[in-house]
């Protein structure tokens, strides 16, 4: 009886650790997927080769050394509880199909080379970061005295 309780407690601890890894992986992965297009938008057509190489190197290493491992951890740690708990029910497979649609959209948009600039307006120098971080001033109307 005591051994059964210990085994159940160990399984619950393992599941909690795996869920924590999954949540951490999803957070890092999601934050990186939002940050990489913004980092790529940092470079302007008038940048020097060194400036472009710096931004490109930073985004490449961030993607390959941070985002890809976070994605692998998120997927592996998200799949592991299915086998640890034995949850082989129809709703779980439906959920996995819905979760699998996300990377399909990501693959479509990344392979189609849709730039982040499509969503943002550049400033006078052609840089996009200022338009992201600062809202434009409100328009002045004749009624407000402006």
């Amino acid at each position: 009886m005591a051994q059964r309780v210990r085994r159940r407690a160990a399984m619950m601890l393992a599941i909690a650790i795996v869920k924590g890894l999954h949540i951490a992986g999803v957070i890092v992965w999601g934050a990186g997927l939002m940050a990489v297009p913004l980092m790529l938008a940092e470079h302007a057509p008038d940048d020097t080769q060194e400036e472009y190489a710096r931004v490109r190197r930073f985004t490449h290493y961030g993607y390959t050394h941070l985002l890809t491992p976070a994605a692998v951890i998120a997927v592996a740690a998200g799949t592991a509880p299915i086998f640890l708990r034995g949850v082989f029910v129809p709703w779980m497979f439906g959920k996995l199909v819905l979760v699998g649609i996300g990377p399909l959209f990501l693959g479509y948009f990344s392979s189609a080379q849709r730039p982040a600039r499509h969503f943002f307006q550049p400033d006078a120098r052609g840089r996009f970061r200022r338009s992201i971080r600062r809202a434009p001033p409100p328009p002045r109307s004749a009624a407000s005295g402006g």
Side-chain angles (χ1 to χ4, degrees), residues 7 25 29 32 79 99 107 111 114 116 120 122 124-125 137:
R7 188 178 312 149
W29 188 19
T79 307
V99 168
S111 67
R114 297 203 182 358
F120 306 111
R125 290 187 55 205

Side-chain angles (χ1 to χ4, degrees), residues 88-95:
F88 300 105
V89 292
W91 67 264
M92 180 57 75
F93 294 108
K95 176 187 172 191

Side-chain angles (χ1 to χ4, degrees), residues 21-37 62-64 66-79 99-107:
L21 282 173
H22 174 66
I23 292 169
V26 168
I27 289 171
V28 171
W29 188 19
L33 289 177
M34 290 184 277
V36 167
Y63 188 80
T64 57
L66 182 68
L67 293 185
T68 301
V72 170
I73 289 170
V75 170
T79 307
V99 168
I101 290 173
L104 293 178
F105 282 118
L106 177 65

